[in-house]
Amino acid sequence: MSVLVVVEPDEGAEGGLSVVSRETLTLARAMPGGAAGLAAVLVGGVGAPDEAVLAHCREQGVDTLYVCGDERLERYAARAWAKVTGAAVEAGGAAYLVAGGTPRGNEVLAHVAATRGVPMATNVVAVVQEDPVEVERQVVGGAVLERVALSGSPAIASVAGHAVVPEASPTPGEAQVEQVAVELTEADLTAQVVRLEAREGGDTSALTGADVVVGAGRGVGGADRFADVEALAARLGGAVGVSRVVTSLGWRPHHEQVGQTGSRIAPDLYLACGISGAIQHWAGCSSSKTIIAVNTDGEAPMVTQARYAVLGDMHEVLPAVLAELGEP
Amino acid sequence: MTDVLVCVKRVPDASGEVVLTPDGSSVDGRYAGYTMSAHEECAVEIAASVAGESGGSVTVLTLGDDDSVEQLRAALAVGAHEAVRVDAVADDYGPADVAAAIAEVVRSREASGSGFGLVLVGNDAADTGDHQVGIRLAHLLDRPVVAGAQQVAISGDRVDVRVGTAAGTEVYDLPLPAVLTVLEGGVEPRYPNISGRMKAKKAPIEVVEPAVVPQGSGRLGLRVLPPPESNVELLGEGAAAAPRLVEVLREMGVVR
């Protein structure tokens, strides 16, 4: 038995693998056979992997890293990548196929599951029984855990973001690179990205990768009342995040939304201002290392579940904080 | 002219407390309001817009019991023309079952000469979050599929699809017929007006029997996480709390 993990390259400043991929590799080692036979397939990067990717794979105990050099994959096509992934399953005889619960991870796994007619469990947070395998996964925005039997050949699961803290394997892997050869058909490439358009000010990665996020909810009071929130985010070198009601009211763009249908964040500090803390919002921010709430309602879930809280109107508190901070 | 099928799901409104049935097998409906997923509200909006521009029609479909008619009427009130309910106990259906049931409806319509150029589903349901119904449906129907669609434009027999990602907007160009899974964020769902509500109230709902025997989702049970114990430290009230708050920020090392 072995476990095959779909990993994604991260072209961010640190390079190498995405954090979610490292979290997923960490959880995969706890799966049956994962510690003894861990393999990975690199989805989204064509050709020879970067040394940073290989270093992360070795650190995580990956023995074999499957890659595909077909240049037709330079532009993303989920079905084609699912074919590569399926071929890697065959090559390594994987009993379990796992990916991070990212858009790419879920999409590629769903294609593999559909092709093979096997089940797929999403948002898994833990393996709770080994034989037969049973996992727990988040449902209803993370408010409820569902225990499911993980059947199928291979058994397929995606891992909820930030459910696991990435840790190096006690035994480094060899990360031997193996090429996967697949015959791609026209159908595999019909749904393929034709171009990527950069968005000015719409970079979600600024939010998901920020060490500090200053969040704002309905309590901000209007589209024209974000100056203090923006100023504090800038002063702390962080990003602005908002609750769903803020985007629903049209006060801020969707790419700033934190929550179940927005971005999931895990900053060192989440400073949540005027946010009540509905379940859907918690789904996106509960992995923050420290949460500080500023709210007029001392009983709001965001306040009671925060590490620190200030009671009061954010429009009184934030200017005072900015004044106290002074110039950098 | 593009006829669009948009599939919606009745889900518990999780903005309040979630209570399970005594046996832990499902969310207790007596304590929950119901809604459709945010992604699906956007899918209905896209469907209404696409069909409106091309002179086509929007059919809204759900799989569920009689109560799920509420979500169908919500879609009818904001632009859907027809509604179909696959009469089933939704909890018995796993994502593969739901995809198979939808595929049967699509095939049946095609056989009667009224097929759908575009099928839209939510990217993932707000309750089960399965991320796979649309993709399984596309494989069953042998159609191309794009996940995470946020903006959609039809041009002749092709569809231009835009997907927001961390790197920017990915643009796809697909032949019709196609399947798209819709993600919240690209369009603003419209609110129903009074005439829309009145029309939706009277609209007929077609009820069909499912053509699949459900295999289920593998669910063994549910548990609600106990609310975390509050260990909040109150730093003060109003502007007077600023010095203490900044002290905490400095202790955390986040002040630059």
Side-chain angles (χ1 to χ4, degrees), chain A residues 104 146-147 197 261 304, chain B residues 162 170 184 219-220 230:
Chain A
R104 291 266 198 274
E146 178 186 46
R147 187 169 177 136
E197 294 178 356
T261 56
T304 58
Chain B
R162 303 169 83 81
E170 290 179 341
E184 187 190 20
R219 174 182 289 181
L220 300 169
S230 177

Side-chain angles (χ1 to χ4, degrees), chain B residues 223-246:
Chain B
R223 69 185 176 103
V224 175
L225 289 169
E229 208 170 299
S230 177
N231 65 347
V232 63
E233 180 182 329
L234 192 61
L235 300 176
E237 293 189 22
R244 176 71 185 116
L245 174 52
V246 171

Side-chain angles (χ1 to χ4, degrees), chain A residues 102-125:
Chain A
T102 63
R104 291 266 198 274
N106 280 321
E107 189 180 19
V108 169
L109 287 193
H111 276 281
V112 176
T115 305
R116 292 173 172 250
V118 297
M120 162 181 164
T122 53
N123 293 320
V124 170
V125 294

